[in-house]
Amino acid sequence: MRTTTAAALASLTALTLALAGCGDSGGSGGSGDSAGAAANGGGTAKSLTFWVMKGTNPDASKFYAAAKKEFKKKTGATLNIQEVEWADAHDRLVRSFAGGGGPDVSEIGTTWTPEFAAAGGLADITKQVTSSGMGKDELKALKDSATYDGKQYGVGWYAGVRGIVYRKDIFAKDGVKVPTNWAELEQAVKTLKAKEPKMAAMPIAGGSSYGSAPFIWGAGGGFATKDGDKWKSTLDSKASQAGLKFYTDLALKDGSSTTAASTWKETDLLDAFAKNKAAMVIQGNWTPKTAIEQNPDLKNKIGAFAIPGKNGGVAPAFLGGSNLSVMATSKKQDLAWKFIQLMTTGDLAKKWADQTGFLPTTKTALQPFADSPDKLVAPFATAMLKGGRNVPSAPQWGTVEGNKTITAMLQSILTGTSVPAASKKAAEAITSTLNAKS
């Protein structure tokens, strides 16, 4: 259902900030005055303005310097990088759609892209992606996240995926093998509960929306589907309920968790793991090094594995991250596209991934990470290649996240509500939100 730009912009200002899978006043760089020239669809451009979200790369100064140097070399133009806080970015971008004055290119959270595309704030770059050949190399989940109404409005810059981080030393001591299917995962939980009474085998965090996704998808369920112009949540389907039941039963039936974990976020899971209070936790690929920083004794004691599929293989897992998009108001469309190509392929893409702990978004760039001997990297990259999936590409999905509909459902189940009752309530809320008229 496509609204007019004006109506969509009016509704956007009321939407809640939400970005899953990534970290939460940006400083601004001065606009340079290069003597070089670059084609930009309207003539000559001396500079390009890029908004990047502050905090993804805590020490980005060296990367920024490298990006500016490479951009200047390739185009003759100056790159003006401005850092923006995640908390401010949504509304600042919305205002720029209506009044101008924003960037030429911006980092856009994957769950924001359909929303901003529907509002008319992003440029359609379908032809550029196709003619460049990049479309064939993109991970499908990230391509889907940047696609709205059959057109592409961004290219994946970096992404993260969740897997299971575990204590290798505890597994070895208790004779537990890395699970390869759900039955083995459940058995591992039972063994760890019996042999490690001072540790939670695998806490189930009620505040983690996408920890449940591999089990919902893995059982054949989903969050929502579109039929014509209408969305319908499938979270209360039999398949979705089966996945939810297995996931929450690890806590409720098998004793993998603690009562407190019913309200935990993923940061709480990481804290418990770092304090030797959990043997396994669902975490993003960007967190294992943080656990070691918090507890140096864990070095060489932890490993990771992709969340297994129900009957083997790799379970589908949500890819959260950011796209790079060209603003519809930019008068430097060609130059902006050249910048996106530079940032998402080759050396700069690898440098950003290495520095941030996130992963690149093309198959070519991701394969070396999947082949890495680093056992805290390879399982996550493999999960992205084999099981990466996106949430529904609906403009209102960010509102679903902002409303905390999924976490409210999980917390309800973990505190005694039946799976059918909780999932039915969540499904009704999601359907209503996704079909809300602007």
Side-chain angles (χ1 to χ4, degrees), residues 189-228:
V189 162
K190 292 178 178 179
T191 300
L192 290 167
K193 177 175 171 56
K195 295 190 175 184
E196 303 295 336
K198 295 183 179 181
M199 301 180 82
M202 182 175 153
I204 303 300
S208 171
S209 295
Y210 295 117
S212 63
F215 301 93
I216 294 170
W217 284 325
F223 292 96
T225 59
K226 193 175 186 182
D227 183 11

Side-chain angles (χ1 to χ4, degrees), residues 50-54 64 81-84 106-107 157 352:
F50 171 47
W51 280 9
V52 61
M53 303 306 143
K54 186 177 178 64
Y64 292 162
I81 299 176
Q82 299 181 3
E83 287 190 330
V84 180
S106 182
E107 174 182 355
W157 184 23
W352 184 258

Side-chain angles (χ1 to χ4, degrees), residues 363-384:
K363 299 169 190 173
T364 298
L366 190 56
Q367 191 60 55
F369 288 86
D371 296 335
S372 170
D374 189 336
K375 300 305 181 184
L376 292 177
V377 172
F380 292 105
T382 299
M384 282 182 63

Side-chain angles (χ1 to χ4, degrees), residues 290-376:
T290 302
I292 294 171
E293 289 172 0
Q294 292 180 5
N295 182 359
D297 289 342
L298 291 178
K299 188 175 183 179
N300 300 321
K301 292 182 180 178
I302 66 176
F305 58 92
I307 297 172
K310 181 178 181 180
N311 298 310
V314 174
F318 170 60
L319 265 62
S322 285
N323 296 316
L324 294 183
S325 296
V326 180
M327 301 300 102
T329 54
S330 173
K331 296 179 180 179
K332 307 171 184 178
Q333 299 282 318
D334 289 349
L335 186 62
W337 170 247
K338 290 178 182 178
F339 173 68
I340 287 179
Q341 285 183 295
L342 193 67
M343 291 287 279
T344 56
T345 60
D347 187 55
L348 286 178
K350 185 178 186 305
K351 281 183 178 178
W352 184 258
D354 287 340
Q355 289 182 27
T356 61
F358 285 93
L359 293 166
T361 60
T362 64
K363 299 169 190 173
T364 298
L366 190 56
Q367 191 60 55
F369 288 86
D371 296 335
S372 170
D374 189 336
K375 300 305 181 184
L376 292 177

